[in-house]
């Protein structure tokens, strides 16, 4: 495991990666140089020895021009003179053989006149090429060209001209031979000079030179890598390790107190260390500030959370139902706490006061002012003041001791359930709506916003509400809700939904539509709504015949105050009672049945008929002992009473009266 970690550390170190890259660059560079050197050395050696052979053949031919070659075998002095000169030439130029011969092109023979060779030459050549020896030999193209004087002159040979040469394999090895013609006193070719170079020896010389160059290149590469490795280790790896280790352990080092990093020198690593020291000091300061801010933020969040709980405690429940009125309200603050508020409370047995308001600003300050305003409004309402008087005294109270010049828009309305009259006053608030047979704006009362100027007077208006009417109150966070496209929800869209939905359920419907419209856009203002609905009571009188059952069903289905999930059950209970009256109440002609339904905090269905006395709550069947074959009837009455929460029967003024009650709180 330790070896694996060590290998991984070496593999990923800067030095290892750098040396690998440098080694790769040197390798490919040296490979290129060696390839180029191979070609260069090989060509140089070959050309050098070829030039030696050419110049040797040319010099020998120059020396022998005009000499009587036939006298060489017999004139020992002359032969010795030329043998000495040509022998030195042969040794100086590294020739294997230098020989002079006379060709006979007609008989394809040659006669050797002189032979010179080096120490490394084969000894058999001295015997086979002795002066005067005739050997069968057909001249090759180079020899023929030299014999016919078709080659360049000898001066060009010495200067590196093309010359006449042939590469052959014979019994003496693989040789390269250069030829030159020897002329007589008349300038005609009399003999040929051949200068042999051993190609094998030339290759050995090339290999020795190339091996020396190869060793020098490899040694230089190793030396460069060693020097670079030492420099990298001392000037790069060591300071990099120090900086890396300090950065890696920065968090743990901070706990014990930060110690400045010093790597010495004035290079980039020294500058990096200085930057690290500066960064560490700034981070320490920043973290200290963050900790202080975080602590302060947590304290503020705790205070805001408490303020939110206090504000929520100020607000009434979101739903309320009794025999006088049904209320639905909701507030969605833009921040943790908001400046909107709603309120409702009874001022006496028949009167219910409803309030909605919007305080200027948001946050804690608005919530504080809201709490004060709510207390003042409720105080004057409980004293029995009318809506306009409540606003008048509230305005005077809030205008005093208001250093921040905060204000609020507020709407106050009082509903009298005995007279069905709704009296209201408006202090600069959004105009509420009355949802009745049509949608009506309650814009009759005008007034200034509350909390700015003292002694402001407020108008007051009264409308009469009938069964099923709904009053909808809201703040400007509803119509000014903004979508992602920067479009306002608007009063026209609000009126469109209110026109289609009556009853206190319109609060949830409008809130859902706002969320769909906003599509996740940030809420810019508090959203507050309150709707109260006058309990509806519908009454019909029909003949006790089954054809009129549809009228009873329609009364239930068309009542907007009845939750949709209950309508089918209520229709089933009403059907069982109505069918029972049609079947058994009247013996001869069918009489009348009066059906009524009232919706408040409960649903009350009443059936009255003038038939014979009959209490449907007595003699009900026991479902556990019921026999389908022997017992007739009773199941419908049992089903109706099971659906409802309570049933009451009375017989008075020669009429049967059955009351079925369903509590909405139990739904």
């Amino acid at each position: 495991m330790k070896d694996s970690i060590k290998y991984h550390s070496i593999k990923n170190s800067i030095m290892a990666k750098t040396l690998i890259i440098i080694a790769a660059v040197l390798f490919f560079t040296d490979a290129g140089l060696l390839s180029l050197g191979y070609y260069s050395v090989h060509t140089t050696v070959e050309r050098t020895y070829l030039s030696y052979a050419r110049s040797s053949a040319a010099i020998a031919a120059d020396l022998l021009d005009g000499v009587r070659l036939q006298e060489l075998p017999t004139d020992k002095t002359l032969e010795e003179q030329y043998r000495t000169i040509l022998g030195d030439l042969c040794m100086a130029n590294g020739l294997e053989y230098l020989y002079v011969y006379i060709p006979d092109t007609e008989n394809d023979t040659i006669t050797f006149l002189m032979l010179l060779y080096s120490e490394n030459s084969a000894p058999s050549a001295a015997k086979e090429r002795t002066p005067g020896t005739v050997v069968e030999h057909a001249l090759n193209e180079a020899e023929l060209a030299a014999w016919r004087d078709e080659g360049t002159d000898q001066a060009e040979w010495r200067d590196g001209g093309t010359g006449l040469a042939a590469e052959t394999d014979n019994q003496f090895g693989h040789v390269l031979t250069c030829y030159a013609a020897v002329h007589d006193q008349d300038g005609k070719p009399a003999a040929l000079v051949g200068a042999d170079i051993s190609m094998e020896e030339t290759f050995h010389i090339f290999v020795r030179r190339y091996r020396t160059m190869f060793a020098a290149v490899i040694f230089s590469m190793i030396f460069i890598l060693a020097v670079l490795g030492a420099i990298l280790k001392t000037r790069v790896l060591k300071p990099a390790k120090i900086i890396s280790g300090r950065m890696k352990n920065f968090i743990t080092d901070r706990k014990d107190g930060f110690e400045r990093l010093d790597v010495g020198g004035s290079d980039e690593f020294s500058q990096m260390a200085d930057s690290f020291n500066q960064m560490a000091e700034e981070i320490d300061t920043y973290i200290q500030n963050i900790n202080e801010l975080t602590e302060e933020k947590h304290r503020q969040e705790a205070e805001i959370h408490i303020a939110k709980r206090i504000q929520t405690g100020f607000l009434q429940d979101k739903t309320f139902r009794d025999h006088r009125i049904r209320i639905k309200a909701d507030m969605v603050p833009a921040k943790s706490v908001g400046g909107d508020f709603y309120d409702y409370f009874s001022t006496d047995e028949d009167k219910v006061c409803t309030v909605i308001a919007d305080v200027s600003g948001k946050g804690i300050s608005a919530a504080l002012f809201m709490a004060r305003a709510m207390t003042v409004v409720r105080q004057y309402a409980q004293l029995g003041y009318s809506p306009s008087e409540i606003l008048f005294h509230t305005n005077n109270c809030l205008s005093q001791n208001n250093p921040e010049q905060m204000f609020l828009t507020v709407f106050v309305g009082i509903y009298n359930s005995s007279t069905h009259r709704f009296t209201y006053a408006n202090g600069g608030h959004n105009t509420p709506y009355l949802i009745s047979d049509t949608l009506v704006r309650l814009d009759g009362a005008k007034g200034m916003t509350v909390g700015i100027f003292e002694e402001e007077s407020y108008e007051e208006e009264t409308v009469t509400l009938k069964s099923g009417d709904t009053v909808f109150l809201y703040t400007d966070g509803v119509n000014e809700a903004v979508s992602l496209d920067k479009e306002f929800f608007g009063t026209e869209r609000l009126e469109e939904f209110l026109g289609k939905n009556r009853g206190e359920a319109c609060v949830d419907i409008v809130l859902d539509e706002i969320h769909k419209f906003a599509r996740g856009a940030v809420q810019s203002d508090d959203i507050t709504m309150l709707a109260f609905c006058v309990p509806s009571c519908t009454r019909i009188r029909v003949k006790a015949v089954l054809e009129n059952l549809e009228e009873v069903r329609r009364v239930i289905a068309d009542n907007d105050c009845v939750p949709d999930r209950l309508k089918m059950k209520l229709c089933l209970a009403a059907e069982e009672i109505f069918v029972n009256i049609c079947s058994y109440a009247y013996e001869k002609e069918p009489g009348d049945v009066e059906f009524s339904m009232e919706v408040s905090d409960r649903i009350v269905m009443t059936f009255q008929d003038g038939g014979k006395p009959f209490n449907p709550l007595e003699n009900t069947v026991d479902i556990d002992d019921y026999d389908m074959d022997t017992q007739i009837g009773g199941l419908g009455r049992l089903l109706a009473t099971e659906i409802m929460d309570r049933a009451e029967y009375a017989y008075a003024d020669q009429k049967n009266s059955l009351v079925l009650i369903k509590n909405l709180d139990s739904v």
Side-chain angles (χ1 to χ4, degrees):
M1 182 65 180
K2 292 182 179 179
D3 293 340
S4 176
I5 294 174
K6 184 177 181 181
Y7 169 75
H8 181 76
S9 177
I10 294 174
K11 178 182 176 183
N12 290 278
S13 68
I14 296 175
M15 182 174 177
K17 292 180 178 178
T18 305
L19 287 178
I20 289 173
I21 293 173
I22 294 174
V25 173
L26 289 176
F27 173 79
F28 287 111
T29 302
D30 291 347
L33 291 175
L34 289 172
S35 299
L36 182 62
Y38 180 91
Y39 172 78
S40 176
V41 172
H42 185 274
T43 303
T44 300
V45 171
E46 190 176 78
R47 287 181 178 178
T48 299
Y49 281 89
L50 178 60
S51 66
Y52 289 167
R54 287 174 176 171
S55 61
S56 297
I59 293 170
D62 283 341
L63 290 173
L64 295 173
D65 273 350
V67 177
R68 294 178 182 180
L69 300 177
Q70 291 80 5
E71 297 178 358
L72 286 176
T74 58
D75 189 346
K76 298 300 181 180
T77 303
L78 183 62
E79 181 189 10
E80 187 64 30
Q81 178 184 355
Y82 282 103
R83 181 176 293 277
T84 301
I85 297 172
L86 295 178
D88 292 340
L89 181 64
C90 182
M91 294 298 293
N93 290 329
L95 302 180
E96 188 170 10
Y97 302 103
L98 181 65
Y99 49 91
V100 183
Y101 62 96
I102 298 173
D104 184 354
T105 57
E106 294 179 359
N107 299 316
D108 290 335
T109 61
I110 60 173
T111 301
F112 287 98
L113 299 178
M114 185 180 294
L115 174 66
L116 298 110
Y117 50 88
S118 65
E119 296 176 353
N120 298 325
S121 303
S124 59
K127 298 177 181 180
E128 296 180 7
R129 296 179 179 180
T130 57
T133 302
V134 179
V135 179
E136 292 183 358
H137 175 71
L139 300 183
N140 57 39
E141 293 181 0
E143 290 174 305
L144 289 173
W147 183 248
R148 296 168 185 165
D149 278 339
E150 294 178 356
T152 58
D153 59 27
Q154 293 161 7
E156 290 181 349
W157 281 33
R158 288 191 293 271
D159 296 335
T162 57
L164 297 171
E167 190 172 348
T168 60
D169 289 310
N170 53 38
Q171 68 270 28
F172 307 116
H174 183 66
V175 296
L176 177 67
T177 307
C178 291
Y179 302 98
V182 179
H183 301 84
D184 58 14
Q185 293 177 349
D186 296 330
K188 296 180 180 180
L192 291 176
V193 176
D196 287 355
I197 296 176
S198 174
M199 298 303 293
E200 295 176 353
E201 182 63 24
T202 303
F203 179 74
H204 291 322
I205 293 172
F206 157 72
V207 169
R208 287 194 298 271
R209 292 186 181 181
Y210 186 74
R211 188 181 298 161
T212 302
M213 185 183 73
F214 183 85
V217 170
I218 296 300
F219 175 78
S220 64
M221 184 178 74
I222 295 174
F223 178 75
I224 291 172
L225 285 176
V227 172
L228 287 176
I231 294 174
L232 285 173
K233 184 176 181 180
T234 56
R235 300 305 303 164
V236 177
L237 184 61
K238 184 177 180 181
K241 277 187 174 181
I242 295 174
I243 296 174
S244 176
R246 290 295 298 277
M247 287 183 174
K248 184 177 181 180
N249 300 321
F250 175 70
I251 299 300
T252 55
D253 291 346
R254 283 189 63 258
K255 296 179 180 178
D256 301 328
F258 175 73
E259 182 180 352
R260 291 181 60 83
L261 179 62
D262 184 13
V263 297
S266 59
D267 55 10
E268 288 81 357
F269 285 103
S270 176
Q271 297 174 8
M272 186 183 298
D274 292 340
S275 298
F276 174 75
N277 292 331
Q278 183 179 357
M279 178 200 70
E281 293 173 357
E282 291 178 354
I283 288 178
D284 279 341
T285 304
Y286 180 76
I287 291 177
Q288 184 178 356
N289 293 337
I290 286 294
N291 290 335
E292 294 176 357
L293 290 174
T294 302
E295 183 178 352
E296 179 65 22
K297 181 180 179 181
H298 287 166
R299 183 165 57 251
Q300 291 178 356
E301 287 178 350
E303 294 175 354
I304 290 175
H305 181 68
I306 295 173
K308 182 178 181 180
R309 292 176 57 188
I310 294 174
Q311 184 183 40
T312 304
F314 283 156
L315 300 176
Q316 297 281 17
D317 293 338
K318 293 183 178 182
T319 58
F320 174 78
R321 293 189 183 98
D322 67 5
H323 66 283
R324 301 169 300 172
I325 198 171
R326 300 196 316 274
I327 295 175
K328 173 69 177 179
D330 202 354
M331 186 187 78
V332 182
K335 296 185 177 181
S336 297
V337 291
D340 288 4
F341 74 88
Y342 67 84
D343 197 6
Y344 59 85
F345 48 88
S346 298
T347 58
D348 61 29
E349 185 177 350
D350 297 325
K351 294 180 180 179
V352 178
C353 180
T354 56
V355 183
I356 192 168
D358 184 1
V359 177
S360 61
K362 300 177 183 65
I364 296 294
S365 59
L368 291 173
F369 196 76
M370 176 272 289
R372 182 187 178 198
M374 179 184 290
T375 303
V376 174
V377 170
R378 181 181 280 258
Q379 171 187 346
Y380 287 112
Q382 295 289 3
L383 292 175
Y385 290 172
S386 67
S388 60
E389 293 173 335
I390 293 173
L391 291 185
F392 175 79
H393 291 290
T394 300
N395 176 63
N396 287 343
C397 181
L398 296 180
S399 298
Q400 301 171 2
N401 301 322
N402 185 10
E404 298 299 323
Q405 294 297 303
M406 300 186 71
F407 60 90
L408 73 157
T409 63
V410 58
F411 180 92
V412 179
I414 297 177
Y415 173 67
N416 190 325
S417 60
S418 62
T419 62
H420 300 290
R421 295 171 66 82
F422 179 65
T423 304
Y424 64 90
N426 192 340
H429 197 73
N430 298 77
T431 302
Y433 291 94
L434 169 60
I435 309 172
S436 186
D437 299 330
T438 59
L439 187 65
V440 180
R441 290 170 57 88
L442 299 180
D443 55 1
K446 305 291 183 180
M448 282 286 295
T449 54
V450 175
I452 300 179
F453 305 109
E454 295 185 56
E455 302 301 325
E456 287 288 339
S457 60
Y458 295 88
E459 299 177 359
E460 189 174 282
E461 290 290 336
T462 300
V463 294
T464 301
L465 306 181
K466 63 178 185 298
S467 175
D469 283 355
T470 302
V471 176
F472 180 81
L473 316 176
Y474 67 100
T475 61
D476 56 8
V478 174
N479 59 302
E480 293 180 3
V482 181
S483 68
L484 289 174
D485 300 328
K486 306 301 180 183
E487 180 184 359
F488 287 108
F489 188 77
T491 56
E492 293 183 1
R493 187 177 280 104
L494 174 62
E495 292 175 358
E496 178 183 353
F497 291 113
L498 294 179
K500 298 176 182 177
N501 301 277
R502 62 189 302 181
E504 70 271 25
C506 62
V507 170
D508 291 333
I509 293 172
V510 172
L511 187 58
D512 289 341
E513 292 300 329
I514 290 175
H515 291 325
K516 293 177 183 177
F517 173 79
R519 292 181 297 170
V522 178
Q523 184 178 332
S524 59
D525 199 359
D526 303 333
I527 297 175
T528 306
M529 292 176 283
L530 183 147
F532 70 88
C533 180
V534 178
S536 62
C537 181
T538 307
R539 191 183 305 274
I540 61 172
R541 181 185 294 273
V542 295
K543 289 292 184 181
V545 293
L546 295 179
E547 289 80 1
N548 291 326
L549 176 60
E550 190 62 31
E551 294 293 328
V552 176
R553 290 174 176 166
R554 187 176 296 112
V555 170
I556 299 173
D558 292 346
N559 196 316
D560 295 333
C561 298
V562 178
D564 292 337
R565 60 184 182 278
L566 280 182
K567 288 182 179 180
M568 184 173 292
K569 292 182 179 180
L570 296 178
C571 286
L572 181 59
E575 178 180 345
E576 295 298 335
I577 301 301
F578 187 81
V579 170
N580 191 68
I581 294 174
C582 293
S583 301
Y584 304 111
Y586 298 100
E587 295 180 351
K588 297 181 180 180
E589 294 294 326
D592 293 335
V593 178
E594 186 177 283
F595 171 73
S596 65
M597 185 174 71
E598 181 179 350
V599 182
S600 57
D601 57 335
R602 59 185 184 172
I603 299 173
V604 180
M605 295 193 302
T606 304
F607 296 86
Q608 285 188 340
D609 66 84
K612 59 185 178 182
F614 176 72
N615 184 357
L617 304 181
E618 294 180 351
N619 301 322
T620 56
V621 300
D622 187 348
I623 192 65
D624 295 328
D625 298 331
Y626 187 77
D627 188 353
M628 298 279 296
D629 298 327
T630 59
Q631 289 182 270
I632 301 175
L635 282 177
R637 290 182 286 129
L638 176 63
L639 178 62
T641 54
E642 287 295 325
I643 290 174
M644 308 304 284
D645 292 326
R646 193 166 81 251
E648 299 174 356
Y649 171 78
Y651 185 80
D653 298 331
Q654 297 183 344
K655 289 185 178 182
N656 295 297
S657 179
L658 176 65
V659 179
L660 301 178
I661 301 172
K662 183 70 174 179
N663 295 321
L664 291 178
D665 293 338
S666 64
V667 177

